Amino acid sequence: GQLLLKAAGTPTSGLLTIAEVSSDTFSLDYSGRVSLPAPDQSAASGTVRVSSADARGAFALAGLKLGEGSAGVPLAATFSLDLKDKALTLETNAMTLGASTVGGKVTLTPAETGGRTVAASLAADSASFSSLLSTVLARESAEPTPEPPPAETSPRRDAKATAQAPLAVDSAPADIWPEQAFDLSALDQLNGKVSARIGALTLEPG
């Protein structure tokens, strides 16, 4: 990976900062002002551009954890960033997340009891039921569940069962409910309110 950092000014009054981080699957650049008036205080205001082959890495930078079921979902966006009094606000008009285009505003603030409080207002042009659930699903098991061996029967019974068996349907309806287990650990240290508008919601795979 590569890292580029340029800054001009003083930490207490404010640094005009340009920062770039890039790798084969991830890139992020920030352009704006950063100030550090005290060791436990920080503020920033600027523009962030991020592109990632796996959205989980980009969300983790903002302190948000996605379930393992969302692995491999690409993300590309330009955000306006504002950090003040430990409250982080991100706003975008067009974030590409998988096959959806999302816009809106998210504010994260530290909670007095620990964790973070989120306040978000989002709008998406489209989404699928499976993609929404993927954010709280565990990773799909790589090893399929073995099927039980067929019961032994006599040749005569096999022939009779075959004759009475119904014809297979060429295209049986697929189950839209995922087989993975739910992973809600990302919500343990998160509370607040999220409002979302979705232009078109599809129930995949059919």
Side-chain angles (χ1 to χ4, degrees):
Q2 296 181 342
L3 170 64
L4 171 66
L5 178 62
K6 295 181 180 181
T10 62
T12 54
S13 61
L15 294 165
L16 293 177
T17 306
I18 296 176
E20 298 179 2
V21 179
S22 62
S23 68
D24 292 340
T25 59
F26 179 86
S27 67
L28 180 146
D29 64 82
Y30 170 79
S31 176
R33 180 177 291 274
V34 175
S35 59
L36 305 167
D40 60 343
Q41 296 179 357
S42 60
S45 179
T47 300
V48 177
R49 285 175 289 272
V50 60
S51 176
S52 177
D54 190 330
R56 294 175 302 165
F59 276 84
L61 291 175
L64 297 174
K65 179 183 176 182
L66 298 182
E68 294 293 323
S70 59
V73 176
L75 177 148
T78 298
F79 297 96
S80 63
L81 177 148
D82 185 72
L83 175 63
K84 186 177 181 181
D85 298 330
K86 298 183 179 181
L88 173 64
T89 299
L90 296 170
E91 189 169 2
T92 181
N93 292 326
M95 174 177 67
T96 301
L97 182 61
S100 302
T101 300
V102 183
K105 182 178 181 180
V106 177
T107 300
L108 296 165
T109 55
E112 294 181 358
T113 56
R116 288 191 170 193
T117 299
V118 59
S121 178
L122 305 172
D125 62 342
S126 63
S128 67
F129 183 72
S130 60
S131 64
L132 293 177
L133 284 182
S134 69
T135 59
V136 290
L137 291 179
R139 184 183 294 274
E140 188 173 2
S141 176
E143 298 182 358
T145 304
E147 296 183 0
E152 296 184 0
T153 56
S154 64
R156 180 175 297 178
R157 288 185 178 181
D158 286 347
K160 183 177 180 181
T162 302
Q164 295 179 350
L167 296 177
V169 180
D170 292 338
S171 57
D175 190 358
I176 64 172
W177 196 256
E179 296 182 359
Q180 300 105 297
F182 283 92
D183 179 10
L184 302 179
S185 60
L187 305 179
D188 290 344
Q189 300 296 318
L190 194 65
N191 61 76
K193 181 179 179 181
V194 177
S195 62
R197 293 183 291 108
I198 301 175
L201 179 63
T202 59
L203 299 179
E204 295 180 350

